[in-house]
Amino acid sequence: MINITESAQAYFQRLLQTQGGDAVGIRLSAVNPGTPRADARLEFCDHGDLLGDEWSIECAGFTLYVDAPSAPFLDSADIDFVASATGGQLTIKAPRIKGDQPAGNASLVERVQWLIDSEINPQLASHKGRVALDSIDADGVVYLRFGGGCHGCGMVDVTLKQGIETSMKAKIPEVTAVRDATDHSTGSAPYIARG
């Protein structure tokens, strides 16, 4: 289920020794699993912190407890620690933590929403922008509402046609066009002012 390298196990063992014997193990859970904001959380735990439904992984000198609801999102995760002159770096690679891409037979709405959440909004976040799915008509035209830095932005048409529409049509063949359903005159903090 989860691969923990020997160096990561040794690192966790050293951390647990600093707890004075109170901690019984390390608890691993997924925060906001199945979303673009998903992340992994590690924390010390004692018997009172455990619910009893955790998955337990016996390691060298300690137990890693995996939060039961998080287990499907942390399946196939790799945990590693690479020592360096400044201390080191712990990495957790969990390929399923953000959820699984909807199957080809999923509804058009599900597939469009997945693309928005997993690819489009993370890119727009660099400009403090975002889009939300407004509707999809019977002809496969997707209508989006822009928010944040994209609401009222002077470059929103370029973002829509050359970025979002191009990507969406290439990845979801049923999408015939992408249109803007936003009233940009009400944007209060555009990334690039119009005019």
Side-chain angles (χ1 to χ4, degrees):
M1 175 182 153
I2 296 176
N3 177 45
I4 308 166
T5 65
E6 288 182 19
S7 61
Q9 290 183 47
Y11 175 71
F12 288 142
Q13 223 175 0
R14 287 192 303 273
L15 288 177
L16 282 165
Q17 289 170 356
T18 67
Q19 296 302 300
D22 293 338
V24 296
I26 306 278
R27 183 182 173 117
L28 173 64
S29 58
V31 180
N32 300 315
T35 73
R37 299 179 323 276
D39 202 359
R41 175 187 295 155
L42 288 168
E43 54 196 347
F44 296 113
C45 62
D46 60 32
H47 289 293
D49 297 326
L50 299 173
L51 301 174
D53 63 349
E54 292 87 0
W55 293 32
S56 60
I57 301 170
E58 295 301 323
C59 298
F62 71 96
T63 303
L64 178 74
Y65 295 96
V66 180
D67 178 61
S70 301
F73 297 98
L74 296 168
D75 188 28
S76 303
D78 288 308
I79 302 174
D80 190 19
F81 179 78
V82 178
S84 68
T86 58
Q89 176 71 40
L90 180 72
T91 59
I92 301 173
K93 294 179 183 173
R96 302 189 66 207
I97 198 165
K98 294 185 179 184
D100 293 321
Q101 183 173 359
N105 62 352
S107 74
L108 182 57
V109 171
E110 287 177 289
R111 290 181 287 138
V112 167
Q113 189 64 56
W114 167 262
L115 188 61
I116 289 169
D117 291 341
S118 65
E119 293 184 26
I120 295 169
N121 276 338
Q123 291 174 6
L124 295 177
S126 66
H127 296 161
K128 296 183 175 143
R130 64 185 177 280
V131 294
L133 178 60
D134 183 76
S135 62
I136 302 175
D137 71 18
D139 296 323
V141 178
V142 175
Y143 293 88
L144 302 175
R145 290 203 182 272
F146 286 85
C150 292
H151 188 181
C153 180
M155 294 299 290
V156 75
D157 295 335
V158 174
T159 300
L160 180 71
K161 290 298 176 189
Q162 293 180 12
I164 297 172
E165 183 178 64
T166 301
S167 176
M168 204 171 278
K169 287 171 68 176
K171 293 178 179 175
I172 306 173
E174 298 92 331
V175 173
T176 58
V178 180
R179 303 265 161 67
D180 188 354
T182 312
D183 177 4
H184 287 283
S185 67
T186 60
S188 60
Y191 186 71
I192 297 173
R194 288 182 169 253

